[in-house]
């Protein structure tokens, strides 16, 4: 089910004013990817990008086409690991966070 415009606007406004929410959204996306839930991971990355820097800005920073990034993170997209890692790496750097795998399999956050 597609997200409504109102819901997307709510996410964007919350991400703008709440760094913990923004970082949590990114962390959840990475956790989903690590836990073999590509569909959820891509959806959360899309939400994070739309709520923060946008695809145009990200594409310019990564020397990619915006539509290419949107397609690879779409529900039917099949991104290469190299591209996912490039996106995640850039977003972590931009956010100023590092996520570390802890022995029990949960992700830790170092800011």
């Amino acid at each position: 089910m597609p997200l409504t415009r109102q819901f997307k606007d709510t996410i964007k406004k919350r991400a703008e004013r709440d760094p913990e929410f923004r970082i949590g959204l990114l962390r959840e996306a990475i956790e989903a990817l690590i836990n073999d839930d590509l569909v959820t991971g891509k959806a959360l990355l899309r939400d994070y990008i739309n709520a923060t820097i946008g695809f145009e800005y990200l594409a310019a920073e990564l020397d990619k086409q915006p539509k290419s990034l949107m397609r690879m993170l779409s529900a039917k997209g099949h991104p290469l690991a190299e591209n996912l890692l490039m996106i995640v790496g850039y977003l972590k750097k931009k956010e100023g966070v590092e996520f570390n795998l802890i022995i029990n399999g949960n992700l830790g956050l170092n800011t």
Side-chain angles (χ1 to χ4, degrees), residues 5 8 18 28 30-31 53 56 60 63 66 81 83 93 109:
R5 170 69 120 193
K8 289 179 183 179
D18 186 350
E28 293 222 6
I30 295 168
E31 285 178 347
I53 62 175
E56 293 286 332
D63 196 29
N83 289 327
K93 182 179 175 187
L109 171 65

Side-chain angles (χ1 to χ4, degrees), residues 8-72:
K8 289 179 183 179
D9 289 343
T10 300
I11 297 292
K12 184 171 179 62
K13 287 177 185 171
R14 174 114 187 249
E16 288 171 355
R17 73 175 190 275
D18 186 350
E20 286 183 30
F21 174 77
R22 198 173 54 241
I23 292 167
L25 189 58
L26 180 57
R27 181 181 53 240
E28 293 222 6
I30 295 168
E31 285 178 347
L33 294 171
I34 289 171
N35 289 314
D36 199 27
D37 187 355
L38 186 61
V39 172
T40 301
K42 291 187 310 179
L44 290 170
L45 279 176
R46 277 194 317 271
D47 289 346
Y48 175 86
I49 293 164
N50 282 321
T52 58
I53 62 175
F55 279 97
E56 293 286 332
Y57 182 89
L58 180 61
E61 290 295 305
L62 299 180
D63 196 29
K64 300 276 185 193
Q65 293 297 314
K67 294 231 184 240
S68 175
L69 293 175
M70 287 181 226
R71 268 192 307 274
M72 73 175 77

Side-chain angles (χ1 to χ4, degrees), residues 78-95:
H78 298 286
L80 297 173
E82 175 183 9
N83 289 327
L84 272 178
L85 293 172
M86 181 187 340
I87 292 167
V88 167
Y90 179 81
L91 296 175
K92 286 186 337 176
K93 182 179 175 187
K94 180 86 172 147
E95 199 64 65

